Amino acid sequence: MATLAVVILTKNEEKNIEACIKSASFADDILVVDSGSEDRTEIIAKAAGARFILHPMGEDGFAGQRNFALQHISADWVFYLDADERITPEAAASIQSIVAENPGCAYRVKRMNIVFGKMMYYGGHRPDYSDRLFPRDAVHWEGYVHEVAVCSLPQKIVDGTLHHYTYTTWSQYMEKLNKYTSMAAESSFKRGKKIGAAGIFAHSWFAFFKLYILKQGFRDGYYGLVMSVMAGIYDFVKYLKLKNLYRL
């Protein structure tokens, strides 16, 4: 019978990792690949029954971490799960059924994004679909920041959803904003991308307009407005960092 491994990438996820692992407890193997936690992530992960491997993030970023994990699992199928996500019971049952049938397909799963305790339905945190379940030998990953799965198999959708607990505190949000804007700026710099002052303001304004108006973020109320504003700030900071890299 086909087997399943769940792969979780972590760094300083002591508040999330136990609940994440428990939601994946139906898997035959749970592997945590950690890029250098300084908190109790390792202790908690092992206590919850996961295997734990320390692997510093290299120049190939998150894609490299995901590809590294493939070298350390032997299951027939792999499901990628983020530490701040939870597999719902309906999705768990669907995943188990897929693995048991062992079809020649890859699968996406619908994510419901929860921002500061509120389920979001519009704007930048509206429900989305993410590539997650693959036969182990049929996928590899590319991309430094926003990695993508490269897989030639037909694609289907898992029944059920993931619950994605994106942010719970503003300190956490700001830490992620700083981290991801730096990584995005470095990626753009390596590709030789440049931007002027006018472009920085234009991109930032359009990021807000797209999410709040075009994608109806206003329908999510207070947090729809706040997160649309922060999307504009994200682009503003990202391009400021990119511009600064050319001055160093």
Side-chain angles (χ1 to χ4, degrees), residues 56-235:
M57 190 176 296
E59 294 183 357
D60 43 5
F62 290 109
Q65 294 294 87
R66 292 179 185 266
N67 290 329
F68 172 82
L70 289 172
Q71 302 171 28
H72 293 271
I73 59 174
S74 58
D76 303 292
W77 286 76
V78 57
F79 186 93
Y80 288 91
L81 183 66
D82 291 344
D84 59 0
E85 296 172 339
R86 312 289 179 263
I87 303 174
T88 61
E90 183 182 3
S94 179
I95 293 166
Q96 288 176 286
S97 176
I98 291 166
V99 172
E101 293 174 7
N102 200 24
C105 299
Y107 288 82
R108 311 185 84 194
V109 62
K110 184 178 182 179
R111 295 195 309 172
M112 301 300 299
N113 296 300
I114 302 168
V115 176
F116 297 105
K118 175 179 172 56
M119 189 82 76
M120 306 291 280
Y121 296 95
Y122 303 94
H125 289 85
R126 67 196 180 285
D128 60 343
Y129 287 85
S130 185
D131 301 326
R132 296 304 182 90
L133 179 63
F134 309 89
R136 177 177 53 84
D137 58 358
V139 63
H140 74 276
W141 296 80
E142 296 178 356
Y144 180 63
V145 182
H146 301 294
E147 68 278 17
V148 295
V150 179
C151 179
S152 61
L153 294 177
Q155 194 173 71
K156 295 185 178 181
I157 297 175
V158 171
D159 293 331
T161 62
L162 295 182
H163 284 177
H164 181 206
Y165 294 86
T166 55
Y167 310 108
T168 56
T169 69
W170 280 109
S171 294
Q172 176 197 31
Y173 180 91
M174 294 303 176
E175 287 176 6
K176 286 191 174 182
L177 183 144
N178 186 50
K179 174 183 176 181
Y180 283 95
T181 53
S182 293
M183 293 178 70
E186 290 166 6
S187 178
S188 295
F189 181 72
K190 290 176 181 177
R191 290 184 281 109
K193 182 174 182 178
K194 294 184 178 181
I195 191 168
I200 293 175
F201 284 99
H203 276 281
S204 303
W205 165 251
F206 184 71
F208 166 79
F209 179 79
K210 179 177 69 174
L211 298 184
Y212 193 64
I213 303 299
L214 300 183
K215 296 188 175 180
Q216 303 183 54
F218 62 86
R219 298 183 68 178
D220 276 327
Y222 171 76
Y223 281 114
L225 171 60
V226 169
M227 300 313 293
S228 296
V229 170
M230 295 309 298
I233 292 174
Y234 175 93
D235 270 17

